[in-house]
Amino acid sequence: MKSEWVPYAVGLAAILGGWKVYSNAPRKVLKPNEFQEFELREKTILSHNTAIYRFKLPRPTDTLGLPIGQHISLAATIAGQPKEVVRSYTPITSDEEKGYFDLLIKSYPTGNISKHVASLMVGQHMKVKGPKGAMVYTPNMVRHFGMIAGGTGITPMLQVVKAIIRGRESGDRTEVDLLFANVNPEDILLKEDLDTLAAKDPKFRVHYVLNNPPEKWSGGVGFVTADMIKEKLPAPASDVKILVCGPPPMVSAMKKATESLGYTKARPVSKLEDQVFCF
């Protein structure tokens, strides 16, 4: 190499090296005011109407950039609908996972977005925007969480529980009791994950409730009641918060049940400081 070229070569090497570091740096890709399209990379079927959908982020080092407790919006143009349909979902992954995010979605006969996602083929895209939501979890924000989830309402609860358990080494002391209600045993989503977390962390306890329990079932039976809440979840206190997520009739019933037990009445739209927070 000619000596007069050396400064240019050194400069070019520095630029390329800097670009490599920049291109490998983790980025948060969500934009709160703009829908972006993400490619469906993988579909894991859990049952006849439920699956985990893995969407690819632009770079392998990218993260979604979703605070713990918040959710994202999915949008699609659906035949027969006058305008674009938008629904909210909570990923079951966090920013600990890079290059992708996972959504657990149950497809309902009347669910426009859930049916649309179920129809997607690997390689097709979904429009996503976020973050959204009033809940942002921070370590030790309360002494004890009581959680009530129904069906796919488990997703925000799992997100918070995983964050708490990850934070144990850095001093997160939060206790969690979770009431998880479903119709049949096979409807209990992510049961293996929940049981594994509960087995390794004594401050996390999960209590299952079934409408149609099998023989020798030791968990709760029927709908979640005020008596179940009183028995399994922490009593009202200034350092206790109840989180609720599930079908609208269940959420409405849980608002009434918690109020009857002395918890502060839930607002129509929850705020972070509320004692009873409904996703």
Side-chain angles (χ1 to χ4, degrees):
M1 180 185 292
K2 294 182 180 180
S3 59
E4 62 267 27
W5 290 0
V6 170
Y8 298 105
V10 170
L12 180 61
I15 291 169
L16 292 174
W19 168 251
K20 186 173 182 180
V21 170
Y22 170 77
S23 64
N24 287 330
R27 302 180 307 169
K28 296 179 179 181
V29 301
L30 277 177
K31 297 179 181 178
N33 300 312
E34 181 184 331
F35 278 105
Q36 302 175 82
E37 293 203 349
F38 296 103
E39 179 186 334
L40 179 62
R41 190 169 86 185
E42 192 178 321
K43 185 189 296 190
T44 303
I45 305 297
L46 301 183
S47 72
H48 71 284
N49 63 355
T50 307
I52 295 174
Y53 301 87
R54 175 162 294 181
F55 290 91
K56 179 183 176 183
L57 298 177
R59 296 179 188 166
T61 53
D62 285 345
T63 66
L64 201 53
L66 187 71
I68 299 299
Q70 297 212 305
H71 51 267
I72 58 177
S73 293
L74 271 57
T77 301
I78 309 289
Q81 296 297 320
K83 58 182 181 179
E84 193 170 56
V85 180
V86 180
R87 293 290 183 272
S88 296
Y89 290 92
T90 303
I92 57 172
T93 46
S94 70
D95 286 354
E96 297 294 308
E97 289 85 14
K98 294 179 172 58
Y100 67 90
F101 65 95
D102 290 349
L103 295 175
L104 171 68
I105 297 179
K106 187 171 186 175
S107 179
Y108 295 94
T110 57
N112 287 313
I113 289 290
S114 64
K115 285 196 298 183
H116 175 78
V117 176
S119 73
L120 290 178
M121 305 295 289
V122 170
Q124 292 185 304
H125 293 74
M126 189 74 213
K127 293 172 70 175
V128 176
K129 182 172 75 172
K132 289 181 61 184
M135 167 59 70
V136 178
Y137 175 74
T138 52
N140 299 309
M141 65 188 290
V142 294
R143 172 180 57 85
H144 199 156
F145 274 121
M147 299 179 171
I148 307 170
T152 52
I154 192 62
T155 56
M157 309 303 182
L158 183 62
Q159 190 191 64
V160 173
V161 168
K162 284 181 173 179
I164 290 170
I165 293 174
R166 278 197 308 271
R168 293 296 190 212
E169 289 185 1
S170 52
D172 197 329
R173 303 177 301 278
T174 311
E175 284 196 62
V176 181
D177 278 279
L178 165 66
L179 276 168
F180 187 19
N182 290 278
V183 178
N184 302 304
E186 61 270 23
D187 297 324
I188 303 175
L189 302 169
L190 303 172
K191 187 176 187 298
E192 188 175 327
D193 297 48
L194 292 166
D195 290 345
T196 299
L197 291 169
K200 76 176 187 180
D201 193 296
K203 289 189 173 183
F204 170 54
R205 296 166 290 272
V206 56
H207 314 282
Y208 297 107
V209 181
L210 290 176
N211 276 12
N212 302 319
E215 289 185 24
K216 299 180 181 178
W217 173 252
S218 60
V221 176
F223 297 109
V224 175
T225 63
D227 286 343
M228 287 182 194
I229 295 170
K230 187 175 182 179
E231 179 187 352
K232 302 297 187 184
L233 302 190
S238 60
D239 54 0
V240 161
K241 191 183 287 287
I242 303 296
L243 304 180
V244 182
C245 190
M250 178 188 181
V251 172
S252 178
M254 294 306 96
K255 286 181 176 181
K256 293 174 184 174
T258 50
E259 185 182 0
S260 75
L261 292 169
Y263 299 94
T264 305
K265 183 178 179 179
R267 294 189 232 208
V269 178
S270 294
K271 296 184 180 296
L272 179 61
E273 63 269 21
D274 291 356
Q275 187 174 50
V276 178
F277 185 97
C278 302
F279 287 96

